[in-house]
Amino acid sequence: MNKKNLLGMTLPELKQVAVSLGMPSFAGGQMAKWIYTQHVSSIDEMTNISKANREKLNEHYQIGCAKPIDAQHSKDGTIKYLFPVVTTAGADSAPAGTKFVETVYIPEDDRATLCVSCEVGCKMNCLFCQTGKQGFEGYLTATDILNQIYSLPERDKLTNIVFMGQGEPMDNLDNVLRATEILTASYGYAWSPKRITVSSVGLKDKLKRFLEESQCHVAISLHSPLHEQRQELMPAERGMAIEDIVELLRNYDFSHQRRLSFEYIVFGGLNDSKAHAQAIVRLLHGLECRVNLIRFHQIPHVPLYGASEEKMESFRDYLTQHGIYTTIRASRGQDIFAACGLLSTAKKNAESK
C-alpha cells in the first residue's frame, strides 16, 4: 500500500490525520513539531506519541524525506545536489514516476542561500535555459519542494531560499504556495517571508494570485525590455508581455518589507547595448525595484555568449545613474555543472543508456 507523506502537510491537515486515526487532534501539533522543528526521518522518532499511535501512523503514513543521491562541489563552496522526486502527473504532464531535480547551496560570508526547484523540466522553453531543453516531465509536490530543504546536509546554515531552480514557480503555484506557507507558518519553519524569493517569467492570473496570496519577495525574469526580442528568448512573452507584467506590479507596494527585483542575463552583442539600458529605464520608471545583472553560463548547442565584464559594468552604471538600483550578481559554481539543468540532464542521459 502506498503510504502518504506527512512532510508537506499543513497543521490543519496533520490534525485531521490524527483524528482520522482515532488520536487526539493535538497530536497533529506534535507531528508538526517533530517534522518542521526536529526534522525527524521516521515516525518512530516521535517519542511523545504513544507506540500504539505511532504504529497506526506507520501503517498509512511516512515522513516522505529523501536524501540527495549526488553532489557536485565547487572550489568556491557552492554545492549542487541532485534529489530524487516523485512527480505528479497532470493532464499536460509526463507520467508520474521517480525523476531527479537540482538544488544549489550557495554560501557567502554570513549568508547561505538555497536555490530550489519546483518542476522536473519546464514548459517555458527559454532559449538560454538547459532545463527548458529537457521538456516538461512533471510537477513537484510540496513534499518534494520542502525535501530539498529538509534533507539538505547544510539545512541549519540556511539564511535565504530562492525559487530560481528548475521549473516555473507560477506554473506549479498551488504546491509553491503550500511550501512557502509551511516555511513561514508558526507551526512550520517560522521563517520571515523576507527570507524567501520566488521568481517568475510572468504568467497571466498566476502572478496576480501569487502577489495577493503571498508576502514573499518577487523576482521577474526580464532578460530583454523589447517585446519581440524577449519573445524570441522567452516564449512566455506571447502569453504575458513584459509591459503587462510591469503594469500589474505597479498595483502592489514594494516600498517596505517586500522586495521586487528583475533578473537580467547579459548576452554579449544581444541585449547589452545602451538602447537596451534606455528601454529598461523607460519600462521600470517610477517602480520601486532593483535589477540584478547575471553572467551567462554557457549551455550546449545554444549560440549565446556572456557579455564582457566591461560591458556589464557600463550597463550597470547607466542604470544606476538613471535611478535604478543595479548590481552584478557574483558568478558561483563555474567549475561544476553551473547552469540549471546540466546535472539532472547528465543523470537522465546516464539512466537512459
Side-chain angles (χ1 to χ4, degrees):
M1 181 177 65
N2 291 330
K3 295 184 179 182
K4 296 180 181 179
N5 296 320
L6 297 176
L7 175 61
M9 286 191 180
T10 63
L11 179 58
E13 290 169 337
L14 290 170
K15 288 182 176 181
Q16 182 56 43
V17 166
V19 171
S20 70
L21 295 177
M23 301 162 60
S25 65
F26 67 76
Q30 293 174 315
M31 284 187 273
K33 186 171 183 179
W34 283 113
I35 296 167
Y36 300 124
T37 303
Q38 301 298 325
H39 295 98
V40 296
S41 58
S42 72
I43 290 170
D44 290 331
E45 295 175 65
M46 299 179 179
T47 52
N48 62 350
I49 295 176
S50 71
K51 183 177 179 181
N53 283 335
R54 294 201 304 270
E55 288 175 354
K56 290 180 184 178
L57 280 170
N58 269 314
E59 187 176 349
H60 300 282
Y61 295 91
Q62 61 186 2
I63 301 299
C65 55
K67 294 180 180 180
I69 63 164
D70 195 6
Q72 297 284 334
H73 294 256
S74 169
K75 60 186 179 183
D76 66 17
T78 300
I79 308 172
K80 176 173 278 193
Y81 288 104
L82 195 66
F83 279 95
V85 297
V86 180
T87 58
T88 59
D92 55 355
S93 74
T98 301
K99 300 182 178 70
F100 307 94
V101 294
E102 300 165 21
T103 305
V104 185
Y105 173 72
I106 310 167
E108 184 176 9
D109 299 328
D110 60 346
R111 293 166 58 90
T113 300
L114 189 70
C115 182
V116 301
S117 297
C118 61
E119 294 178 340
V120 179
C122 186
K123 300 176 190 175
M124 301 302 108
N125 196 26
C126 296
L127 178 62
F128 48 83
C129 180
Q130 181 65 37
T131 301
K133 310 306 174 196
Q134 294 179 358
F136 177 70
E137 297 188 63
Y139 302 106
L140 298 197
T141 63
T143 302
D144 284 324
I145 293 173
L146 290 170
N147 182 62
Q148 296 168 70
I149 303 157
Y150 198 89
S151 298
L152 186 81
E154 298 80 10
R155 177 189 63 226
D156 294 336
K157 299 178 182 179
L158 292 178
T159 61
N160 299 84
I161 291 172
V162 294
F163 283 74
M164 295 182 182
Q166 295 174 273
E168 162 57 45
M170 300 303 145
D171 186 46
N172 191 15
L173 185 54
D174 286 340
N175 285 311
V176 168
L177 285 173
R178 173 183 285 265
T180 56
E181 175 189 338
I182 291 169
L183 286 169
T184 57
S186 59
Y187 67 81
Y189 283 72
W191 278 35
S192 165
K194 293 186 294 182
R195 297 173 65 181
I196 303 169
T197 300
V198 179
S199 71
S200 180
V201 300
L203 297 183
K204 270 186 178 177
D205 302 324
K206 298 291 186 68
L207 179 57
K208 184 176 187 294
R209 182 183 161 202
F210 175 80
L211 289 165
E212 293 178 353
E213 295 185 22
S214 172
Q215 287 301 310
C216 295
H217 295 323
V218 183
I220 299 297
S221 299
L222 176 56
H223 311 314
S224 177
L226 310 178
H227 173 68
E228 290 187 1
Q229 185 179 63
R230 189 172 188 265
Q231 186 172 275
E232 292 175 0
L233 290 169
M234 307 167 66
E237 171 77 4
R238 300 188 186 101
M240 189 175 191
I242 189 60
E243 291 88 354
D244 295 333
I245 294 171
V246 171
E247 192 61 31
L248 172 64
L249 293 168
R250 291 187 187 281
N251 295 319
Y252 299 87
D253 184 7
F254 298 101
S255 63
H256 295 96
Q257 297 295 316
R258 195 181 205 183
R259 188 173 67 236
L260 169 64
S261 60
F262 289 85
E263 309 296 302
Y264 196 91
I265 299 176
V266 189
F267 303 107
L270 183 69
N271 66 348
D272 59 352
S273 70
K274 184 177 180 180
H276 285 87
Q278 291 170 331
I280 292 174
V281 171
R282 291 193 298 270
L283 177 69
L284 304 183
H285 177 71
L287 188 62
E288 188 76 28
C289 66
R290 65 177 63 190
V291 172
N292 294 319
L293 303 182
I294 303 168
R295 294 172 179 84
F296 178 55
H297 286 166
Q298 193 74 34
I299 65 172
H301 314 302
V302 173
L304 295 173
Y305 306 92
S308 68
E309 189 69 21
E310 180 182 9
K311 179 66 76 170
M312 292 190 70
E313 289 177 358
S314 65
F315 203 89
R316 174 200 61 196
D317 293 346
Y318 182 91
L319 294 179
T320 300
Q321 290 163 9
H322 289 79
I324 298 177
Y325 178 69
T326 304
T327 62
I328 298 175
R329 185 187 294 170
S331 187
R332 303 295 299 272
Q334 290 276 37
D335 55 327
I336 57 175
F337 286 107
C340 273
L342 290 178
L343 182 57
S344 56
T345 296
K347 176 65 175 177
K348 179 181 177 182
N349 290 341
E351 293 275 311
S352 64
K353 289 181 180 179

